[in-house]
Amino acid sequence: MRQYMKMVRPFDFIIIVLLILGSFLPLILFSVAEAKNAGDDVIAIISQDGEVIREIPLTGHKGNEQFTIKGKGIQYNLMEVDGERIRIKEDNSPDQVGVKMGWKSKAGDTIVCLPHKVFVEIKSTSKTSKDPDSDLIVPN
């Protein structure tokens, strides 16, 4: 053990500590970004084969709602919205990947059923209508 301690220099400890602290940086950044979006409205955008089928506001949604998305032939996805969360309750795809993904409610979450080309994306919409391009400087 002593022979290994002779190989380690004091600067090595500083590098190790900085790397450990740096590993927490993504957690801090994502927490700050999520805190900024905490007051925003959340909507679920359901699309099939690249075409938006339905948009459901999740923020403030009450009750339970079920509806079916039909695909080609006998393909179907039974969607369920319960309160402020959404899931694929049932489908007839072979692996049931979309069903196994469970409930989603946070902005950035997705549910995918690849055989039926169904994609559910949870997005955050800002309550203040600020144009993101208004900060851009346009050259003359």
Side-chain angles (χ1 to χ4, degrees):
M1 181 71 171
R2 268 187 196 181
Q3 65 185 16
Y4 295 122
M5 290 304 289
K6 289 180 181 178
M7 290 190 293
V8 178
R9 303 286 179 232
F11 192 67
D12 294 340
F13 287 113
I14 294 171
I15 291 174
I16 291 170
V17 168
L18 288 175
L19 287 174
I20 290 172
L21 291 175
S23 69
F24 290 102
L25 189 62
L27 176 67
I28 294 167
L29 293 176
F30 287 121
S31 296
V32 168
E34 190 171 327
K36 286 183 180 179
N37 292 335
D40 294 346
D41 291 335
V42 177
I43 61 170
I45 300 172
I46 303 168
S47 59
Q48 184 176 31
D49 206 15
E51 180 181 328
V52 175
I53 296 174
R54 195 166 178 184
E55 291 184 12
I56 302 170
L58 295 179
T59 303
H61 187 276
K62 298 198 185 320
N64 189 307
E65 176 184 354
Q66 294 185 6
F67 56 92
T68 303
I69 298 174
K70 298 193 185 240
K72 295 178 183 174
I74 60 169
Q75 295 178 346
Y76 73 93
N77 290 77
L78 180 62
M79 305 295 298
E80 181 178 16
V81 181
D82 182 34
E84 296 185 348
R85 57 190 189 157
I86 188 168
R87 73 172 175 166
I88 296 178
K89 182 176 182 178
E90 177 184 325
D91 68 17
N92 61 349
S93 63
D95 294 331
Q96 299 285 303
V97 174
V99 175
K100 293 176 184 175
M101 294 181 92
W103 293 102
K104 302 294 179 183
S105 62
K106 292 183 182 178
D109 287 347
T110 57
I111 304 172
V112 180
C113 179
L114 287 178
H116 301 170
K117 298 179 183 174
V118 173
F119 182 69
V120 180
E121 184 178 13
I122 312 296
K123 286 190 173 183
S124 173
T125 59
S126 179
K127 289 183 180 178
T128 59
S129 60
K130 181 178 183 276
D131 184 13
D133 295 333
S134 65
D135 295 336
L136 295 177
I137 299 172
V138 180
N140 290 334

mmCIF file with all atom_site columns, all heavy atoms in Angstrom, residues 41-64:
data_model
loop_
_atom_site.group_PDB
_atom_site.id
_atom_site.type_symbol
_atom_site.label_atom_id
_atom_site.label_alt_id
_atom_site.label_comp_id
_atom_site.label_asym_id
_atom_site.label_entity_id
_atom_site.label_seq_id
_atom_site.pdbx_PDB_ins_code
_atom_site.Cartn_x
_atom_site.Cartn_y
_atom_site.Cartn_z
_atom_site.occupancy
_atom_site.B_iso_or_equiv
_atom_site.pdbx_formal_charge
_atom_site.auth_seq_id
_atom_site.auth_comp_id
_atom_site.auth_asym_id
_atom_site.auth_atom_id
_atom_site.pdbx_PDB_model_num
ATOM 1   N N   . ASP A 1 41 ? -47.578 25.526 -18.107 1.00 0.00 ? 41 ASP A N   1
ATOM 2   C CA  . ASP A 1 41 ? -48.599 24.532 -18.427 1.00 0.00 ? 41 ASP A CA  1
ATOM 3   C C   . ASP A 1 41 ? -47.958 23.375 -19.175 1.00 0.00 ? 41 ASP A C   1
ATOM 4   O O   . ASP A 1 41 ? -47.014 23.555 -19.937 1.00 0.00 ? 41 ASP A O   1
ATOM 5   C CB  . ASP A 1 41 ? -49.692 25.152 -19.300 1.00 0.00 ? 41 ASP A CB  1
ATOM 6   C CG  . ASP A 1 41 ? -50.531 26.158 -18.532 1.00 0.00 ? 41 ASP A CG  1
ATOM 7   O OD1 . ASP A 1 41 ? -50.598 26.048 -17.299 1.00 0.00 ? 41 ASP A OD1 1
ATOM 8   O OD2 . ASP A 1 41 ? -51.118 27.042 -19.174 1.00 0.00 ? 41 ASP A OD2 1
ATOM 9   N N   . VAL A 1 42 ? -48.491 22.173 -18.972 1.00 0.00 ? 42 VAL A N   1
ATOM 10  C CA  . VAL A 1 42 ? -47.965 20.970 -19.598 1.00 0.00 ? 42 VAL A CA  1
ATOM 11  C C   . VAL A 1 42 ? -49.041 20.386 -20.505 1.00 0.00 ? 42 VAL A C   1
ATOM 12  O O   . VAL A 1 42 ? -50.195 20.261 -20.099 1.00 0.00 ? 42 VAL A O   1
ATOM 13  C CB  . VAL A 1 42 ? -47.539 19.933 -18.527 1.00 0.00 ? 42 VAL A CB  1
ATOM 14  C CG1 . VAL A 1 42 ? -47.049 18.657 -19.165 1.00 0.00 ? 42 VAL A CG1 1
ATOM 15  C CG2 . VAL A 1 42 ? -46.477 20.511 -17.618 1.00 0.00 ? 42 VAL A CG2 1
ATOM 16  N N   . ILE A 1 43 ? -48.654 20.056 -21.757 1.00 0.00 ? 43 ILE A N   1
ATOM 17  C CA  . ILE A 1 43 ? -49.587 19.444 -22.696 1.00 0.00 ? 43 ILE A CA  1
ATOM 18  C C   . ILE A 1 43 ? -48.982 18.149 -23.243 1.00 0.00 ? 43 ILE A C   1
ATOM 19  O O   . ILE A 1 43 ? -47.772 18.007 -23.319 1.00 0.00 ? 43 ILE A O   1
ATOM 20  C CB  . ILE A 1 43 ? -49.961 20.382 -23.859 1.00 0.00 ? 43 ILE A CB  1
ATOM 21  C CG1 . ILE A 1 43 ? -48.719 20.763 -24.673 1.00 0.00 ? 43 ILE A CG1 1
ATOM 22  C CG2 . ILE A 1 43 ? -50.666 21.610 -23.374 1.00 0.00 ? 43 ILE A CG2 1
ATOM 23  C CD1 . ILE A 1 43 ? -49.044 21.480 -25.965 1.00 0.00 ? 43 ILE A CD1 1
ATOM 24  N N   . ALA A 1 44 ? -49.852 17.226 -23.605 1.00 0.00 ? 44 ALA A N   1
ATOM 25  C CA  . ALA A 1 44 ? -49.431 15.979 -24.240 1.00 0.00 ? 44 ALA A CA  1
ATOM 26  C C   . ALA A 1 44 ? -49.787 16.072 -25.711 1.00 0.00 ? 44 ALA A C   1
ATOM 27  O O   . ALA A 1 44 ? -50.945 16.332 -26.067 1.00 0.00 ? 44 ALA A O   1
ATOM 28  C CB  . ALA A 1 44 ? -50.127 14.785 -23.600 1.00 0.00 ? 44 ALA A CB  1
ATOM 29  N N   . ILE A 1 45 ? -48.797 15.883 -26.560 1.00 0.00 ? 45 ILE A N   1
ATOM 30  C CA  . ILE A 1 45 ? -49.012 15.916 -28.008 1.00 0.00 ? 45 ILE A CA  1
ATOM 31  C C   . ILE A 1 45 ? -48.912 14.489 -28.524 1.00 0.00 ? 45 ILE A C   1
ATOM 32  O O   . ILE A 1 45 ? -47.857 13.860 -28.422 1.00 0.00 ? 45 ILE A O   1
ATOM 33  C CB  . ILE A 1 45 ? -47.987 16.832 -28.693 1.00 0.00 ? 45 ILE A CB  1
ATOM 34  C CG1 . ILE A 1 45 ? -48.111 18.253 -28.149 1.00 0.00 ? 45 ILE A CG1 1
ATOM 35  C CG2 . ILE A 1 45 ? -48.177 16.794 -30.200 1.00 0.00 ? 45 ILE A CG2 1
ATOM 36  C CD1 . ILE A 1 45 ? -47.035 19.184 -28.610 1.00 0.00 ? 45 ILE A CD1 1
ATOM 37  N N   . ILE A 1 46 ? -50.013 13.996 -29.065 1.00 0.00 ? 46 ILE A N   1
ATOM 38  C CA  . ILE A 1 46 ? -50.076 12.619 -29.564 1.00 0.00 ? 46 ILE A CA  1
ATOM 39  C C   . ILE A 1 46 ? -50.017 12.666 -31.074 1.00 0.00 ? 46 ILE A C   1
ATOM 40  O O   . ILE A 1 46 ? -50.834 13.328 -31.720 1.00 0.00 ? 46 ILE A O   1
ATOM 41  C CB  . ILE A 1 46 ? -51.358 11.918 -29.095 1.00 0.00 ? 46 ILE A CB  1
ATOM 42  C CG1 . ILE A 1 46 ? -51.440 11.951 -27.562 1.00 0.00 ? 46 ILE A CG1 1
ATOM 43  C CG2 . ILE A 1 46 ? -51.416 10.492 -29.612 1.00 0.00 ? 46 ILE A CG2 1
ATOM 44  C CD1 . ILE A 1 46 ? -52.771 11.543 -27.012 1.00 0.00 ? 46 ILE A CD1 1
ATOM 45  N N   . SER A 1 47 ? -49.033 11.968 -31.642 1.00 0.00 ? 47 SER A N   1
ATOM 46  C CA  . SER A 1 47 ? -48.910 11.929 -33.094 1.00 0.00 ? 47 SER A CA  1
ATOM 47  C C   . SER A 1 47 ? -48.767 10.487 -33.563 1.00 0.00 ? 47 SER A C   1
ATOM 48  O O   . SER A 1 47 ? -48.272 9.631  -32.836 1.00 0.00 ? 47 SER A O   1
ATOM 49  C CB  . SER A 1 47 ? -47.719 12.770 -33.558 1.00 0.00 ? 47 SER A CB  1
ATOM 50  O OG  . SER A 1 47 ? -46.530 12.308 -32.976 1.00 0.00 ? 47 SER A OG  1
ATOM 51  N N   . GLN A 1 48 ? -49.226 10.253 -34.770 1.00 0.00 ? 48 GLN A N   1
ATOM 52  C CA  . GLN A 1 48 ? -49.107 8.931  -35.376 1.00 0.00 ? 48 GLN A CA  1
ATOM 53  C C   . GLN A 1 48 ? -48.577 9.107  -36.789 1.00 0.00 ? 48 GLN A C   1
ATOM 54  O O   . GLN A 1 48 ? -49.138 9.885  -37.564 1.00 0.00 ? 48 GLN A O   1
ATOM 55  C CB  . GLN A 1 48 ? -50.447 8.207  -35.399 1.00 0.00 ? 48 GLN A CB  1
ATOM 56  C CG  . GLN A 1 48 ? -50.344 6.794  -35.943 1.00 0.00 ? 48 GLN A CG  1
ATOM 57  C CD  . GLN A 1 48 ? -51.665 6.065  -35.859 1.00 0.00 ? 48 GLN A CD  1
ATOM 58  O OE1 . GLN A 1 48 ? -52.721 6.665  -35.943 1.00 0.00 ? 48 GLN A OE1 1
ATOM 59  N NE2 . GLN A 1 48 ? -51.593 4.759  -35.690 1.00 0.00 ? 48 GLN A NE2 1
ATOM 60  N N   . ASP A 1 49 ? -47.513 8.423  -37.073 1.00 0.00 ? 49 ASP A N   1
ATOM 61  C CA  . ASP A 1 49 ? -46.875 8.475  -38.386 1.00 0.00 ? 49 ASP A CA  1
ATOM 62  C C   . ASP A 1 49 ? -46.478 9.909  -38.751 1.00 0.00 ? 49 ASP A C   1
ATOM 63  O O   . ASP A 1 49 ? -46.619 10.337 -39.890 1.00 0.00 ? 49 ASP A O   1
ATOM 64  C CB  . ASP A 1 49 ? -47.797 7.870  -39.437 1.00 0.00 ? 49 ASP A CB  1
ATOM 65  C CG  . ASP A 1 49 ? -47.022 7.314  -40.630 1.00 0.00 ? 49 ASP A CG  1
ATOM 66  O OD1 . ASP A 1 49 ? -45.784 7.151  -40.506 1.00 0.00 ? 49 ASP A OD1 1
ATOM 67  O OD2 . ASP A 1 49 ? -47.640 7.059  -41.679 1.00 0.00 ? 49 ASP A OD2 1
ATOM 68  N N   . GLY A 1 50 ? -46.035 10.676 -37.735 1.00 0.00 ? 50 GLY A N   1
ATOM 69  C CA  . GLY A 1 50 ? -45.568 12.034 -37.945 1.00 0.00 ? 50 GLY A CA  1
ATOM 70  C C   . GLY A 1 50 ? -46.654 13.095 -38.002 1.00 0.00 ? 50 GLY A C   1
ATOM 71  O O   . GLY A 1 50 ? -46.371 14.276 -38.119 1.00 0.00 ? 50 GLY A O   1
ATOM 72  N N   . GLU A 1 51 ? -47.911 12.712 -37.902 1.00 0.00 ? 51 GLU A N   1
ATOM 73  C CA  . GLU A 1 51 ? -49.026 13.654 -37.978 1.00 0.00 ? 51 GLU A CA  1
ATOM 74  C C   . GLU A 1 51 ? -49.669 13.802 -36.599 1.00 0.00 ? 51 GLU A C   1
ATOM 75  O O   . GLU A 1 51 ? -50.014 12.808 -35.954 1.00 0.00 ? 51 GLU A O   1
ATOM 76  C CB  . GLU A 1 51 ? -50.066 13.124 -38.967 1.00 0.00 ? 51 GLU A CB  1
ATOM 77  C CG  . GLU A 1 51 ? -51.264 14.017 -39.135 1.00 0.00 ? 51 GLU A CG  1
ATOM 78  C CD  . GLU A 1 51 ? -52.276 13.418 -40.113 1.00 0.00 ? 51 GLU A CD  1
ATOM 79  O OE1 . GLU A 1 51 ? -51.845 12.719 -41.049 1.00 0.00 ? 51 GLU A OE1 1
ATOM 80  O OE2 . GLU A 1 51 ? -53.470 13.666 -39.913 1.00 0.00 ? 51 GLU A OE2 1
ATOM 81  N N   . VAL A 1 52 ? -49.804 15.053 -36.136 1.00 0.00 ? 52 VAL A N   1
ATOM 82  C CA  . VAL A 1 52 ? -50.392 15.297 -34.819 1.00 0.00 ? 52 VAL A CA  1
ATOM 83  C C   . VAL A 1 52 ? -51.870 14.934 -34.856 1.00 0.00 ? 52 VAL A C   1
ATOM 84  O O   . VAL A 1 52 ? -52.641 15.429 -35.684 1.00 0.00 ? 52 VAL A O   1
ATOM 85  C CB  . VAL A 1 52 ? -50.212 16.776 -34.398 1.00 0.00 ? 52 VAL A CB  1
ATOM 86  C CG1 . VAL A 1 52 ? -50.935 17.048 -33.089 1.00 0.00 ? 52 VAL A CG1 1
ATOM 87  C CG2 . VAL A 1 52 ? -48.741 17.115 -34.262 1.00 0.00 ? 52 VAL A CG2 1
ATOM 88  N N   . ILE A 1 53 ? -52.252 14.042 -33.948 1.00 0.00 ? 53 ILE A N   1
ATOM 89  C CA  . ILE A 1 53 ? -53.641 13.587 -33.871 1.00 0.00 ? 53 ILE A CA  1
ATOM 90  C C   . ILE A 1 53 ? -54.426 14.387 -32.851 1.00 0.00 ? 53 ILE A C   1
ATOM 91  O O   . ILE A 1 53 ? -55.552 14.790 -33.091 1.00 0.00 ? 53 ILE A O   1
ATOM 92  C CB  . ILE A 1 53 ? -53.696 12.090 -33.492 1.00 0.00 ? 53 ILE A CB  1
ATOM 93  C CG1 . ILE A 1 53 ? -53.065 11.262 -34.585 1.00 0.00 ? 53 ILE A CG1 1
ATOM 94  C CG2 . ILE A 1 53 ? -55.112 11.644 -33.222 1.00 0.00 ? 53 ILE A CG2 1
ATOM 95  C CD1 . ILE A 1 53 ? -52.946 9.808  -34.239 1.00 0.00 ? 53 ILE A CD1 1
ATOM 96  N N   . ARG A 1 54 ? -53.777 14.611 -31.686 1.00 0.00 ? 54 ARG A N   1
ATOM 97  C CA  . ARG A 1 54 ? -54.505 15.245 -30.592 1.00 0.00 ? 54 ARG A CA  1
ATOM 98  C C   . ARG A 1 54 ? -53.533 15.929 -29.640 1.00 0.00 ? 54 ARG A C   1
ATOM 99  O O   . ARG A 1 54 ? -52.433 15.441 -29.428 1.00 0.00 ? 54 ARG A O   1
ATOM 100 C CB  . ARG A 1 54 ? -55.289 14.168 -29.853 1.00 0.00 ? 54 ARG A CB  1
ATOM 101 C CG  . ARG A 1 54 ? -56.345 14.660 -28.945 1.00 0.00 ? 54 ARG A CG  1
ATOM 102 C CD  . ARG A 1 54 ? -57.249 13.513 -28.557 1.00 0.00 ? 54 ARG A CD  1
ATOM 103 N NE  . ARG A 1 54 ? -58.231 14.011 -27.628 1.00 0.00 ? 54 ARG A NE  1
ATOM 104 C CZ  . ARG A 1 54 ? -59.123 13.261 -27.035 1.00 0.00 ? 54 ARG A CZ  1
ATOM 105 N NH1 . ARG A 1 54 ? -59.155 11.968 -27.281 1.00 0.00 ? 54 ARG A NH1 1
ATOM 106 N NH2 . ARG A 1 54 ? -59.984 13.770 -26.191 1.00 0.00 ? 54 ARG A NH2 1
ATOM 107 N N   . GLU A 1 55 ? -53.949 17.052 -29.080 1.00 0.00 ? 55 GLU A N   1
ATOM 108 C CA  . GLU A 1 55 ? -53.200 17.739 -28.041 1.00 0.00 ? 55 GLU A CA  1
ATOM 109 C C   . GLU A 1 55 ? -54.087 17.801 -26.805 1.00 0.00 ? 55 GLU A C   1
ATOM 110 O O   . GLU A 1 55 ? -55.227 18.268 -26.887 1.00 0.00 ? 55 GLU A O   1
ATOM 111 C CB  . GLU A 1 55 ? -52.806 19.145 -28.486 1.00 0.00 ? 55 GLU A CB  1
ATOM 112 C CG  . GLU A 1 55 ? -51.773 19.158 -29.581 1.00 0.00 ? 55 GLU A CG  1
ATOM 113 C CD  . GLU A 1 55 ? -51.312 20.568 -29.945 1.00 0.00 ? 55 GLU A CD  1
ATOM 114 O OE1 . GLU A 1 55 ? -51.638 21.509 -29.194 1.00 0.00 ? 55 GLU A OE1 1
ATOM 115 O OE2 . GLU A 1 55 ? -50.634 20.699 -30.968 1.00 0.00 ? 55 GLU A OE2 1
ATOM 116 N N   . ILE A 1 56 ? -53.561 17.339 -25.677 1.00 0.00 ? 56 ILE A N   1
ATOM 117 C CA  . ILE A 1 56 ? -54.341 17.294 -24.447 1.00 0.00 ? 56 ILE A CA  1
ATOM 118 C C   . ILE A 1 56 ? -53.637 18.117 -23.381 1.00 0.00 ? 56 ILE A C   1
ATOM 119 O O   . ILE A 1 56 ? -52.497 17.803 -23.014 1.00 0.00 ? 56 ILE A O   1
ATOM 120 C CB  . ILE A 1 56 ? -54.507 15.839 -23.952 1.00 0.00 ? 56 ILE A CB  1
ATOM 121 C CG1 . ILE A 1 56 ? -55.184 15.003 -25.029 1.00 0.00 ? 56 ILE A CG1 1
ATOM 122 C CG2 . ILE A 1 56 ? -55.280 15.799 -22.651 1.00 0.00 ? 56 ILE A CG2 1
ATOM 123 C CD1 . ILE A 1 56 ? -55.184 13.534 -24.749 1.00 0.00 ? 56 ILE A CD1 1
ATOM 124 N N   . PRO A 1 57 ? -54.273 19.164 -22.861 1.00 0.00 ? 57 PRO A N   1
ATOM 125 C CA  . PRO A 1 57 ? -53.654 19.903 -21.758 1.00 0.00 ? 57 PRO A CA  1
ATOM 126 C C   . PRO A 1 57 ? -53.705 19.059 -20.487 1.00 0.00 ? 57 PRO A C   1
ATOM 127 O O   . PRO A 1 57 ? -54.774 18.625 -20.064 1.00 0.00 ? 57 PRO A O   1
ATOM 128 C CB  . PRO A 1 57 ? -54.510 21.160 -21.631 1.00 0.00 ? 57 PRO A CB  1
ATOM 129 C CG  . PRO A 1 57 ? -55.756 20.897 -22.388 1.00 0.00 ? 57 PRO A CG  1
ATOM 130 C CD  . PRO A 1 57 ? -55.508 19.770 -23.315 1.00 0.00 ? 57 PRO A CD  1
ATOM 131 N N   . LEU A 1 58 ? -52.548 18.799 -19.899 1.00 0.00 ? 58 LEU A N   1
ATOM 132 C CA  . LEU A 1 58 ? -52.485 17.982 -18.685 1.00 0.00 ? 58 LEU A CA  1
ATOM 133 C C   . LEU A 1 58 ? -52.605 18.829 -17.423 1.00 0.00 ? 58 LEU A C   1
ATOM 134 O O   . LEU A 1 58 ? -53.123 18.359 -16.412 1.00 0.00 ? 58 LEU A O   1
ATOM 135 C CB  . LEU A 1 58 ? -51.189 17.181 -18.658 1.00 0.00 ? 58 LEU A CB  1
ATOM 136 C CG  . LEU A 1 58 ? -51.027 16.124 -19.746 1.00 0.00 ? 58 LEU A CG  1
ATOM 137 C CD1 . LEU A 1 58 ? -49.685 15.431 -19.619 1.00 0.00 ? 58 LEU A CD1 1
ATOM 138 C CD2 . LEU A 1 58 ? -52.145 15.111 -19.688 1.00 0.00 ? 58 LEU A CD2 1
ATOM 139 N N   . THR A 1 59 ? -52.125 20.059 -17.470 1.00 0.00 ? 59 THR A N   1
ATOM 140 C CA  . THR A 1 59 ? -52.198 20.927 -16.307 1.00 0.00 ? 59 THR A CA  1
ATOM 141 C C   . THR A 1 59 ? -53.662 21.274 -16.040 1.00 0.00 ? 59 THR A C   1
ATOM 142 O O   . THR A 1 59 ? -54.354 21.802 -16.906 1.00 0.00 ? 59 THR A O   1
ATOM 143 C CB  . THR A 1 59 ? -51.392 22.220 -16.530 1.00 0.00 ? 59 THR A CB  1
ATOM 144 O OG1 . THR A 1 59 ? -50.047 21.864 -16.837 1.00 0.00 ? 59 THR A OG1 1
ATOM 145 C CG2 . THR A 1 59 ? -51.404 23.102 -15.301 1.00 0.00 ? 59 THR A CG2 1
ATOM 146 N N   . GLY A 1 60 ? -54.116 20.942 -14.872 1.00 0.00 ? 60 GLY A N   1
ATOM 147 C CA  . GLY A 1 60 ? -55.498 21.234 -14.495 1.00 0.00 ? 60 GLY A CA  1
ATOM 148 C C   . GLY A 1 60 ? -56.509 20.226 -15.009 1.00 0.00 ? 60 GLY A C   1
ATOM 149 O O   . GLY A 1 60 ? -57.711 20.390 -14.792 1.00 0.00 ? 60 GLY A O   1
ATOM 150 N N   . HIS A 1 61 ? -56.064 19.164 -15.668 1.00 0.00 ? 61 HIS A N   1
ATOM 151 C CA  . HIS A 1 61 ? -56.986 18.145 -16.189 1.00 0.00 ? 61 HIS A CA  1
ATOM 152 C C   . HIS A 1 61 ? -57.569 17.370 -15.013 1.00 0.00 ? 61 HIS A C   1
ATOM 153 O O   . HIS A 1 61 ? -56.865 16.954 -14.113 1.00 0.00 ? 61 HIS A O   1
ATOM 154 C CB  . HIS A 1 61 ? -56.245 17.196 -17.136 1.00 0.00 ? 61 HIS A CB  1
ATOM 155 C CG  . HIS A 1 61 ? -57.149 16.239 -17.837 1.00 0.00 ? 61 HIS A CG  1
ATOM 156 N ND1 . HIS A 1 61 ? -57.556 15.051 -17.276 1.00 0.00 ? 61 HIS A ND1 1
ATOM 157 C CD2 . HIS A 1 61 ? -57.728 16.292 -19.061 1.00 0.00 ? 61 HIS A CD2 1
ATOM 158 C CE1 . HIS A 1 61 ? -58.336 14.419 -18.124 1.00 0.00 ? 61 HIS A CE1 1
ATOM 159 N NE2 . HIS A 1 61 ? -58.451 15.151 -19.221 1.00 0.00 ? 61 HIS A NE2 1
ATOM 160 N N   . LYS A 1 62 ? -58.863 17.180 -15.033 1.00 0.00 ? 62 LYS A N   1
ATOM 161 C CA  . LYS A 1 62 ? -59.537 16.447 -13.963 1.00 0.00 ? 62 LYS A CA  1
ATOM 162 C C   . LYS A 1 62 ? -60.276 15.261 -14.558 1.00 0.00 ? 62 LYS A C   1
ATOM 163 O O   . LYS A 1 62 ? -60.687 15.274 -15.697 1.00 0.00 ? 62 LYS A O   1
ATOM 164 C CB  . LYS A 1 62 ? -60.511 17.363 -13.238 1.00 0.00 ? 62 LYS A CB  1
ATOM 165 C CG  . LYS A 1 62 ? -59.839 18.552 -12.566 1.00 0.00 ? 62 LYS A CG  1
ATOM 166 C CD  . LYS A 1 62 ? -60.734 19.153 -11.531 1.00 0.00 ? 62 LYS A CD  1
ATOM 167 C CE  . LYS A 1 62 ? -60.173 20.416 -10.904 1.00 0.00 ? 62 LYS A CE  1
ATOM 168 N NZ  . LYS A 1 62 ? -58.793 20.462 -10.615 1.00 0.00 ? 62 LYS A NZ  1
ATOM 169 N N   . GLY A 1 63 ? -60.401 14.229 -13.772 1.00 0.00 ? 63 GLY A N   1
ATOM 170 C CA  . GLY A 1 63 ? -61.157 13.066 -14.194 1.00 0.00 ? 63 GLY A CA  1
ATOM 171 C C   . GLY A 1 63 ? -60.319 12.086 -15.001 1.00 0.00 ? 63 GLY A C   1
ATOM 172 O O   . GLY A 1 63 ? -59.103 12.208 -15.114 1.00 0.00 ? 63 GLY A O   1
ATOM 173 N N   . ASN A 1 64 ? -61.020 11.086 -15.548 1.00 0.00 ? 64 ASN A N   1
ATOM 174 C CA  . ASN A 1 64 ? -60.386 10.025 -16.310 1.00 0.00 ? 64 ASN A CA  1
ATOM 175 C C   . ASN A 1 64 ? -60.989 10.008 -17.707 1.00 0.00 ? 64 ASN A C   1
ATOM 176 O O   . ASN A 1 64 ? -62.198 10.066 -17.856 1.00 0.00 ? 64 ASN A O   1
ATOM 177 C CB  . ASN A 1 64 ? -60.606 8.681  -15.610 1.00 0.00 ? 64 ASN A CB  1
ATOM 178 C CG  . ASN A 1 64 ? -59.793 7.571  -16.225 1.00 0.00 ? 64 ASN A CG  1
ATOM 179 O OD1 . ASN A 1 64 ? -59.843 7.345  -17.420 1.00 0.00 ? 64 ASN A OD1 1
ATOM 180 N ND2 . ASN A 1 64 ? -59.047 6.874  -15.397 1.00 0.00 ? 64 ASN A ND2 1
#
